[in-house]
Amino acid sequence: MAITVVGTPQVGNTINGGNVTLTFSPAPSENDYVLVFGGCSYGAVVADAGTGYTRISLAGDGFNTSFGVWIKKMSASPDTTVLCRGNTNTFAATAYGCYVLRGVDGTTPQDATAT
């Protein structure tokens, strides 16, 4: 089965290091995977996607920016939103996006070798 993007990819941003909530459209189904990406500026080493998400990658220099990627397989009660954390720094910008993917092979969801 081919991997398909479900609905519309979601994006959100805010100022002052605030959190961003992404609302899925439509909501994922059981066994769909949600891939979240984003982060913040100015000391944003705390970039994080919502509860139950596994971090695939996190990059940052500890001062200027932090960017990460997270993934979560939806259960029988799939999420309708994901809360992505900012860093509360009043000089920071926060931005996140997400894709809902259907048809992902759960035994090897990432088939690329990390370098």
Side-chain angles (χ1 to χ4, degrees):
M1 180 159 121
I3 296 174
T4 57
V5 176
V6 177
T8 306
Q10 301 299 304
V11 295
N13 59 66
T14 189
I15 59 172
N16 297 328
N19 295 332
V20 172
T21 299
L22 302 176
T23 302
F24 307 125
S25 176
S29 297
E30 182 177 12
N31 296 321
D32 285 350
Y33 281 80
V34 175
L35 189 68
V36 176
F37 52 91
C40 352
S41 60
Y42 291 104
V45 294
V46 297
D48 189 26
T51 303
Y53 283 79
T54 300
R55 185 176 73 205
I56 297 172
S57 178
L58 183 63
D61 63 7
F63 179 73
N64 290 320
T65 189
S66 180
F67 180 87
V69 180
W70 299 264
I71 193 167
K72 181 179 182 179
K73 181 180 180 182
M74 292 293 118
S75 67
S77 299
D79 301 337
T80 57
T81 63
V82 58
L83 175 66
C84 306
R85 290 191 325 160
N87 65 356
T88 69
N89 184 322
T90 56
F91 297 105
T94 306
Y96 285 88
C98 72
Y99 290 97
V100 176
L101 304 174
R102 187 164 292 155
V104 174
D105 178 354
T107 58
T108 57
Q110 296 88 37
D111 63 358
T113 303
T115 58

